[in-house]
Amino acid sequence: MAEVKVPELAESISEGSIAQWLKQPGDHVEKGEYVLELETDKVNVEIISDYTGTLSEHLAEEGDTVQVGQAIAIVDENGSAAAAPKAEAPKAEEAKEAKAEPAKKEQAAPAQETPKAETKEATSTQQVIASPAARKLAREKGIDLTQVPVADPLGRVRVQDVEAASNAPAAPTAPAAATNTAPAAKQPAAPVEVNDDRIEVVKMTRRRQTIAKRLVQVQSEAAMLTTFNEVDLSAVMELRSRHKDSFVKANDVKLGFMSFFTKAVIGALKKYPLLNAEIKGDHILKKNFYDIGVAVSTDEGLVVPVVRDADRKSFAEIEKNISDLAVKARNNKLGLSDLSGGTFTITNGGTFGSLLSTPILNAPQVGILGMHTIKTRPIAVGDQIENRPMMYLALSYDHRIVDGKEAVGFLVAIKDMLEDPEQLLLQG
């Protein structure tokens, strides 16, 4: 028997949730074949089997949280698809032998009651809902699942519940179970309080939980401030109009606004390098490279893939890079390398019609530019009133290292370059 374990994914990722099993017990698997999809804080990763054989057992269920290095499945390298169901027979015999030994009754019997509960005996444990990994661990440790306090609102026993029960002191087991069960029993009260057919209770995905935690964290840790300006995009739109057909023909990608804004951001970052920095304790890390994050909205939540070394890329290369990353994000195919790092972020709420917003920092970065929808408005141009395509810009920054003067200057620099796009060739 060989174990399929959660591999090392990245330094910042220590656990994940099983999103979907791609192989079921009894299925044949080849070495290198995908067996499950793991949802992490950043991306979904497909985990492969390092062995060829029959998948004989899942050690965790869909939705369970698993740690890096944890065994999550068993592969029988000598087995066949038909052999998997027979694996239950030895377990049943082991249960009978354990009950036949009086000396081991106190330890072996509770451990074997859990699988029996699924068939005939131990009617009290028939009500227990537990993951396969939790049942396996309970058998190994000789723990009665009916005595395990649970934290799951649905009452399902998980691996961490069994581990907590096994680590509890032996003497106060009964009182501990009573005291721990009380608060656990209250947790399902939340759905009960909204006992209404018109209300649907949906658990947040791991990624949504991470997004929520980080957004709150950055607002509590950073001295976040937002400054605003507006930009006349007449020159950019006129330039795009003149060159859009030839640009597509030459580069096989459309000339969008994002390449202009990315170039403008890089030019402004070169003038105001503290907005391309990071705070590390009581030190400032100034980054002399420009990895620009571009926020992309997906069904699973907002992700920020990174355009690497954007200052060295042409307009066409930036447009292609952003387009490829957006497609990968929406197809849930982003890799960890696509998301790691990033020195500054651009987010475009204008794609959804946002007129004005205050973007939240993407920690540990200290600056984020918010783009918005383009609106034709009457603007004073000299002594004349003209209708111009205008966009509001928002810069949120960490006031701990960026002063208002630098922040305002940064935004004005972006405005100036976009209103005179020729500057982008020199400074972006």
Side-chain angles (χ1 to χ4, degrees):
M1 297 291 184
E3 294 180 334
V4 178
K5 297 183 178 181
V6 180
E8 293 284 345
L9 300 171
E11 185 177 350
S12 60
I13 296 178
S14 59
E15 63 180 18
S17 298
I18 295 179
Q20 179 184 6
W21 279 103
L22 305 178
K23 291 289 185 178
Q24 302 301 324
D27 289 350
H28 178 76
V29 295
E30 293 288 340
K31 181 178 180 180
E33 190 174 4
Y34 296 124
V35 294
L36 79 150
E37 183 179 355
L38 187 72
E39 181 184 14
T40 72
D41 294 346
K42 295 182 178 181
V43 294
N44 283 24
V45 181
E46 291 177 322
I47 306 300
I48 65 171
S49 171
D50 291 328
Y51 311 95
T52 297
T54 300
L55 185 70
S56 59
E57 185 180 3
H58 289 166
L59 302 182
E61 287 186 344
E62 293 180 1
D64 285 351
T65 297
V66 291
Q67 307 293 320
V68 169
Q70 179 178 333
I72 49 178
I74 300 295
V75 173
D76 183 358
E77 296 180 275
N78 300 316
S80 62
K86 298 179 181 179
E88 296 299 326
K91 292 184 179 179
E93 294 177 5
E94 289 176 8
K96 293 177 182 178
E97 291 176 4
K99 287 194 172 187
E101 297 180 24
K104 298 183 179 178
K105 186 174 182 179
E106 291 184 1
Q107 295 180 356
Q112 300 298 330
E113 284 176 4
T114 302
K116 280 287 185 181
E118 299 173 4
T119 53
K120 298 178 181 179
E121 299 180 2
T123 56
S124 62
T125 60
Q126 285 180 346
Q127 306 300 323
V128 176
I129 303 174
S131 69
R135 293 187 183 278
K136 180 175 182 291
L137 186 61
R139 289 197 301 270
E140 293 173 350
K141 294 182 176 291
I143 295 175
D144 185 353
L145 285 176
T146 61
Q147 303 301 316
V148 176
V150 297
D152 190 294
L154 299 178
R156 184 168 62 174
V157 180
R158 296 177 180 269
V159 172
Q160 50 265 44
D161 299 323
V162 178
E163 290 176 343
S166 68
N167 293 331
T173 298
T179 55
N180 290 338
T181 304
K186 291 180 181 178
Q187 290 192 3
V192 171
E193 292 177 359
V194 291
N195 190 14
D196 191 323
D197 293 339
R198 297 169 298 176
I199 299 175
E200 181 182 5
V201 179
V202 180
K203 183 179 179 181
M204 288 194 292
T205 63
R206 168 172 289 275
R207 192 170 305 160
R208 175 54 61 185
Q209 293 177 47
T210 302
I211 291 171
K213 179 177 69 176
R214 289 181 178 172
L215 290 178
V216 172
Q217 181 180 8
V218 73
Q219 291 190 88
S220 64
E221 292 181 356
M224 194 168 67
L225 208 59
T226 305
T227 186
F228 303 93
N229 211 318
E230 62 179 354
V231 57
D232 181 352
L233 291 173
S234 298
V236 170
M237 295 182 75
E238 191 273 334
L239 186 63
R240 289 181 68 236
S241 179
R242 280 193 290 116
H243 295 284
K244 62 180 182 181
D245 293 335
S246 59
F247 189 89
V248 171
K249 186 176 181 179
N251 302 290
D252 198 28
V253 66
K254 291 182 179 179
L255 178 59
F257 286 102
M258 287 304 301
S259 54
F260 286 92
F261 276 86
T262 301
K263 287 287 188 181
V265 162
I266 294 167
L269 288 174
K270 290 179 178 179
K271 286 185 177 180
Y272 301 95
L274 283 178
L275 279 153
N276 201 49
E278 175 185 339
I279 298 175
K280 199 82 168 178
D282 55 0
H283 293 78
I284 297 173
L285 306 182
K286 290 186 176 182
K287 301 175 181 178
N288 299 316
F289 57 95
Y290 304 91
D291 290 351
I292 306 300
V294 179
V296 178
S297 178
T298 71
D299 293 338
E300 298 295 325
L302 195 71
V303 292
V304 187
V306 178
V307 179
R308 305 287 176 192
D309 297 317
D311 58 315
R312 302 179 184 179
K313 288 182 166 66
S314 65
F315 280 74
E317 289 172 327
I318 291 174
E319 291 290 352
K320 286 180 179 178
N321 206 165
I322 291 175
S323 176
D324 292 343
L325 290 171
V327 170
K328 289 172 69 176
R330 295 188 179 106
N331 291 333
N332 210 17
K333 297 298 183 182
L334 285 173
L336 293 172
S337 59
D338 295 321
L339 297 166
S340 60
T343 61
F344 187 92
T345 295
I346 302 174
T347 180
N348 185 7
T351 57
F352 306 107
S354 172
L355 183 63
L356 193 63
S357 67
T358 55
I360 298 176
L361 291 173
N362 181 22
Q365 298 169 20
V366 297
I368 180 171
L369 177 72
M371 298 167 55
H372 299 91
T373 190
I374 301 172
K375 290 289 185 181
T376 301
R377 293 189 282 114
I379 299 295
V381 181
D383 295 332
Q384 303 294 321
I385 300 296
E386 298 182 11
N387 288 329
R388 296 292 184 94
M390 305 298 295
M391 176 191 286
Y392 288 115
L393 300 177
L395 172 71
S396 292
Y397 60 98
D398 194 336
H399 209 347
R400 289 180 295 173
I401 64 170
V402 179
D403 292 330
K405 178 183 177 181
E406 283 74 25
V408 172
F410 177 88
L411 211 49
V412 169
I414 290 177
K415 170 185 169 69
D416 291 343
M417 281 183 278
L418 291 171
E419 292 182 345
D420 182 10
E422 290 181 2
Q423 293 187 47
L424 298 177
L425 300 176
L426 303 175
Q427 303 184 49

